[in-house]
Coordinates of all heavy atoms in Angstrom, one line a residue:
L25 N 37.2 -3.7 33.5 CA 36.4 -4.9 33.7 C 35.9 -5.4 32.3 O 35.7 -4.6 31.4 CB 35.2 -4.6 34.6 CG 35.5 -4.0 35.9 CD1 34.3 -3.9 36.7 CD2 36.6 -4.7 36.7
S26 N 35.7 -6.7 32.2 CA 35.2 -7.3 31.0 C 33.9 -8.1 31.3 O 33.8 -8.6 32.4 CB 36.2 -8.2 30.4 OG 37.4 -7.5 30.1
C27 N 33.1 -8.1 30.4 CA 31.9 -9.0 30.5 C 31.7 -9.7 29.2 O 31.3 -9.0 28.2 CB 30.6 -8.1 30.8 SG 29.1 -9.1 30.9
A28 N 32.0 -11.0 29.2 CA 31.9 -11.8 27.9 C 30.5 -12.5 27.9 O 30.1 -13.1 28.9 CB 33.0 -12.8 27.9
A29 N 29.8 -12.4 26.8 CA 28.5 -13.0 26.7 C 28.5 -14.2 25.7 O 29.3 -14.2 24.8 CB 27.5 -12.0 26.2
S30 N 27.7 -15.2 26.1 CA 27.5 -16.3 25.1 C 26.0 -16.6 25.1 O 25.3 -16.3 26.1 CB 28.3 -17.6 25.6 OG 27.9 -17.9 26.9
G31 N 25.5 -17.1 24.0 CA 24.1 -17.4 23.9 C 23.3 -16.2 23.3 O 22.1 -16.4 23.0
T32 N 23.8 -15.0 23.2 CA 23.2 -13.9 22.6 C 24.2 -12.9 22.2 O 25.4 -13.0 22.6 CB 22.1 -13.3 23.6 OG1 21.3 -12.3 22.8 CG2 22.8 -12.7 24.7
R33 N 23.8 -11.8 21.6 CA 24.6 -10.7 21.2 C 24.3 -9.5 22.0 O 23.2 -9.1 22.2 CB 24.5 -10.4 19.7 CG 24.7 -11.6 18.8 CD 26.1 -12.0 18.7 NE 27.0 -10.9 18.3 CZ 28.4 -11.0 18.2 NH1 28.9 -12.2 18.6 NH2 29.1 -10.0 17.8
F34 N 25.3 -8.7 22.5 CA 25.1 -7.5 23.2 C 24.3 -6.5 22.4 O 23.5 -5.7 23.0 CB 26.5 -6.9 23.7 CG 27.1 -7.5 24.9 CD1 28.3 -8.2 24.8 CD2 26.5 -7.4 26.1 CE1 28.9 -8.8 25.9 CE2 27.0 -8.0 27.2 CZ 28.2 -8.7 27.1
S35 N 24.6 -6.5 21.1 CA 24.0 -5.4 20.3 C 22.5 -5.6 20.2 O 21.8 -4.7 19.7 CB 24.6 -5.5 18.9 OG 24.4 -6.8 18.3
M36 N 22.0 -6.7 20.6 CA 20.5 -6.9 20.5 C 19.7 -6.5 21.8 O 18.5 -6.4 21.7 CB 20.3 -8.4 20.3 CG 20.9 -9.0 19.0 SD 20.7 -10.8 18.9 CE 19.0 -11.0 18.9
H37 N 20.4 -6.1 22.9 CA 19.8 -5.9 24.1 C 20.3 -4.7 24.9 O 21.3 -4.1 24.5 CB 19.9 -7.2 25.0 CG 19.6 -8.4 24.3 ND1 18.3 -8.8 24.0 CD2 20.3 -9.5 23.9 CE1 18.3 -9.9 23.4 NE2 19.5 -10.4 23.3
V38 N 19.7 -4.5 26.0 CA 20.2 -3.5 27.0 C 21.1 -4.2 28.0 O 20.7 -5.2 28.6 CB 19.1 -2.8 27.7 CG1 19.6 -1.8 28.8 CG2 18.1 -2.1 26.8
M39 N 22.3 -3.7 28.1 CA 23.2 -4.3 29.0 C 23.7 -3.2 30.1 O 23.9 -2.0 29.7 CB 24.4 -4.8 28.3 CG 25.5 -5.5 29.2 SD 26.7 -4.3 29.6 CE 27.8 -5.3 30.7
G40 N 23.7 -3.6 31.3 CA 24.1 -2.6 32.3 C 25.2 -3.1 33.2 O 25.4 -4.3 33.4
W41 N 25.9 -2.1 33.7 CA 26.9 -2.4 34.8 C 26.3 -2.0 36.1 O 25.8 -0.9 36.2 CB 28.2 -1.7 34.5 CG 29.1 -2.4 33.5 CD1 29.2 -2.0 32.2 CD2 29.9 -3.5 33.7 NE1 30.1 -2.9 31.5 CE2 30.6 -3.8 32.4 CE3 30.3 -4.3 34.8 CZ2 31.5 -4.8 32.3 CZ3 31.2 -5.3 34.6 CH2 31.7 -5.6 33.4
H42 N 26.5 -2.8 37.1 CA 25.9 -2.6 38.4 C 27.0 -2.8 39.5 O 27.9 -3.5 39.3 CB 24.8 -3.6 38.7 CG 23.7 -3.6 37.7 ND1 22.4 -3.2 37.9 CD2 23.7 -4.0 36.4 CE1 21.7 -3.4 36.8 NE2 22.5 -3.9 35.9
R43 N 26.8 -2.1 40.6 CA 27.8 -2.2 41.6 C 27.0 -2.4 43.0 O 26.0 -1.7 43.2 CB 28.6 -0.9 41.7 CG 29.5 -0.8 42.9 CD 30.4 0.5 42.7 NE 29.6 1.7 42.8 CZ 29.9 2.8 42.2 NH1 31.1 2.9 41.6 NH2 29.2 3.9 42.3
Q44 N 27.5 -3.3 43.8 CA 27.0 -3.5 45.1 C 28.1 -3.2 46.1 O 29.0 -4.0 46.3 CB 26.4 -4.9 45.2 CG 25.7 -5.1 46.6 CD 24.8 -6.3 46.5 OE1 24.9 -7.2 45.7 NE2 23.8 -6.3 47.5
A45 N 27.9 -2.1 46.8 CA 28.9 -1.8 47.8 C 28.6 -2.5 49.1 O 27.4 -3.0 49.3 CB 28.9 -0.3 48.1
P46 N 29.5 -2.7 50.0 CA 29.3 -3.4 51.2 C 28.1 -2.9 52.0 O 28.1 -1.7 52.3 CB 30.6 -3.3 52.0 CG 31.6 -3.1 51.0 CD 30.9 -2.3 49.9
G47 N 27.1 -3.7 52.3 CA 26.0 -3.3 53.1 C 25.0 -2.4 52.4 O 24.0 -1.9 53.0
K48 N 25.1 -2.3 51.1 CA 24.2 -1.5 50.3 C 23.5 -2.4 49.2 O 24.0 -3.5 48.9 CB 24.9 -0.3 49.7 CG 25.4 0.6 50.7 CD 26.0 1.9 50.1 CE 26.5 2.9 51.1 NZ 27.0 4.1 50.5
Q49 N 22.5 -1.8 48.6 CA 21.8 -2.5 47.5 C 22.6 -2.3 46.2 O 23.4 -1.4 46.0 CB 20.4 -1.9 47.3 CG 19.4 -2.3 48.4 CD 18.0 -1.8 48.1 OE1 17.8 -0.8 47.4 NE2 17.0 -2.5 48.6
R50 N 22.3 -3.3 45.3 CA 23.0 -3.2 44.0 C 22.4 -2.0 43.3 O 21.2 -1.8 43.2 CB 22.7 -4.5 43.3 CG 23.5 -4.7 42.0 CD 23.2 -6.0 41.4 NE 23.5 -7.1 42.3 CZ 23.5 -8.4 41.9 NH1 23.1 -8.7 40.7 NH2 23.8 -9.4 42.8
E51 N 23.2 -1.2 42.6 CA 22.8 -0.1 41.8 C 23.4 -0.1 40.5 O 24.6 -0.5 40.3 CB 23.1 1.2 42.6 CG 24.6 1.4 42.8 CD 25.0 2.8 43.4 OE1 24.0 3.6 43.6 OE2 26.1 3.0 43.6
M52 N 22.6 0.3 39.5 CA 23.1 0.4 38.1 C 23.8 1.8 37.9 O 23.2 2.8 38.3 CB 22.0 0.2 37.1 CG 22.4 0.1 35.7 SD 21.1 -0.4 34.6 CE 19.9 0.8 34.9
F53 N 24.9 1.8 37.3 CA 25.6 3.1 37.0 C 26.0 3.3 35.6 O 26.4 4.4 35.3 CB 26.8 3.2 37.9 CG 27.9 2.2 37.7 CD1 28.9 2.4 36.7 CD2 27.9 1.0 38.4 CE1 29.8 1.4 36.5 CE2 28.8 0.0 38.1 CZ 29.8 0.2 37.2
A54 N 25.8 2.3 34.7 CA 26.1 2.5 33.3 C 25.3 1.5 32.5 O 25.1 0.4 32.9 CB 27.6 2.4 33.1
T55 N 24.9 2.0 31.3 CA 24.2 1.1 30.4 C 24.6 1.4 29.0 O 25.1 2.4 28.6 CB 22.7 1.3 30.5 OG1 22.4 2.7 30.1 CG2 22.1 1.0 31.8
I56 N 24.4 0.3 28.2 CA 24.6 0.4 26.7 C 23.5 -0.3 26.1 O 23.1 -1.4 26.4 CB 26.0 -0.1 26.3 CG1 26.2 0.1 24.8 CG2 26.2 -1.5 26.7 CD1 27.6 0.0 24.3
R57 N 22.8 0.4 25.1 CA 21.6 -0.1 24.5 C 21.9 -0.3 23.0 O 22.5 0.6 22.3 CB 20.5 0.9 24.6 CG 20.1 1.2 26.0 CD 19.1 2.3 26.2 NE 18.8 2.7 27.6 CZ 17.8 2.1 28.2 NH1 17.0 1.3 27.7 NH2 17.7 2.4 29.5
G58 N 21.6 -1.5 22.6 CA 21.8 -1.8 21.2 C 23.2 -1.8 20.7 O 23.5 -1.6 19.5

């Protein structure tokens, strides 16, 4: 998967990948900081 950003830089923030399975709440499973 890819996540392209505009308007800011990934290196400046916390970015997370989240997954929402059918019938379930969205959950975060991976992050990258700075």
Side-chain angles (χ1 to χ4, degrees):
L25 307 184
S26 301
C27 178
S30 59
T32 189
R33 303 291 302 178
F34 281 114
S35 60
M36 298 173 61
H37 308 291
V38 177
M39 181 267 179
W41 281 99
H42 306 247
R43 174 174 63 206
Q44 187 162 17
K48 296 187 177 180
Q49 288 188 331
R50 192 176 301 186
E51 61 176 359
M52 184 168 63
F53 61 89
T55 59
I56 182 165
R57 299 172 183 268

